[in-house]
Amino acid sequence: MAARVTYYATALPRTATTTTDYSVAKVTTSFLPSANKTYAILWSAVLDGNDINYSQKVRLQNTTASATLAEEIMDPRNVTIATSTTSAGGLALYTAPASPVSQTLQMQFATSNAAMSCGIQEAKIFVIELIDGVDIWDFSVAEQTTTSATYGP
């Protein structure tokens, strides 16, 4: 079996901002994909905020394609402590075209209001080439609801 191709970048120390746009990049990675290959992009971070009236925002941005691959907007939950933390992240898929160019991914963050400082730490981006015939993947972006009060198939 061929070796699995991976790329990653991390930025562990805490950084804070009061900007309301996504002009602050916490971590950046670039990779040159192989033609017609699919890549799993896993990203995660710990966010903090100090005001329950405003939101913390983080997104995974493909700056090469000017495309937002994922975005989370969260509100601090606990006013009894100085800073409330929450985790963010997820999985995105990227399929390279027949003639790929280098892709640059950034985890960018902001606050919904400059009155609140938004912090981010332990930011990580991992890019893993999926192997045809070995890795199995599927996804759905449709919303699903239930009235069931129990878990089960």
Side-chain angles (χ1 to χ4, degrees), residues 1 8-9 13 25 27 30 38 43 54 62 75 90-91 93 103 105 111 120 126 130 133 139 142 144 146 152:
M1 176 169 34
Y8 72 94
V27 64
S30 296
T38 299
W43 64 288
Y54 305 114
N62 181 331
D75 297 324
L91 168 71
L93 294 176
Q103 301 295 302
L105 305 174
T111 179
I120 188 171
F126 293 94
L130 300 177
F139 65 94
Q144 297 180 4
T146 182

Side-chain angles (χ1 to χ4, degrees), residues 58-73:
V58 62
R59 72 179 180 183
L60 179 64
Q61 184 77 4
N62 181 331
T63 60
T64 305
S66 298
T68 300
L69 303 178
E71 180 179 36
E72 292 191 26
I73 300 172

Side-chain angles (χ1 to χ4, degrees), residues 29-152:
T29 191
S30 296
F31 69 102
L32 180 59
S34 298
N36 303 312
K37 291 290 187 176
T38 299
Y39 294 81
I41 305 165
L42 298 105
W43 64 288
S44 67
V46 175
L47 291 143
D48 63 70
N50 58 6
D51 191 326
I52 62 167
N53 297 308
Y54 305 114
S55 302
Q56 308 144 334
K57 306 186 297 183
V58 62
R59 72 179 180 183
L60 179 64
Q61 184 77 4
N62 181 331
T63 60
T64 305
S66 298
T68 300
L69 303 178
E71 180 179 36
E72 292 191 26
I73 300 172
M74 295 158 290
D75 297 324
R77 298 271 183 205
N78 192 334
V79 296
T80 62
I81 59 175
T83 302
S84 179
T85 61
T86 188
S87 355
L91 168 71
L93 294 176
Y94 170 79
T95 301
S99 299
V101 297
S102 181
Q103 301 295 302
T104 299
L105 305 174
Q106 286 186 338
M107 190 182 308
Q108 302 168 339
F109 72 110
T111 179
S112 65
N113 189 300
M116 180 182 85
S117 175
C118 174
I120 188 171
Q121 60 192 345
E122 300 178 33
K124 304 168 191 80
I125 301 174
F126 293 94
V127 181
I128 305 167
E129 183 181 295
L130 300 177
I131 300 171
D132 294 333
V134 174
D135 297 319
I136 300 170
W137 64 91
D138 194 11
F139 65 94
S140 172
V141 293
E143 181 178 342
Q144 297 180 4
T145 60
T146 182
T147 56
S148 174
T150 61
Y151 295 102

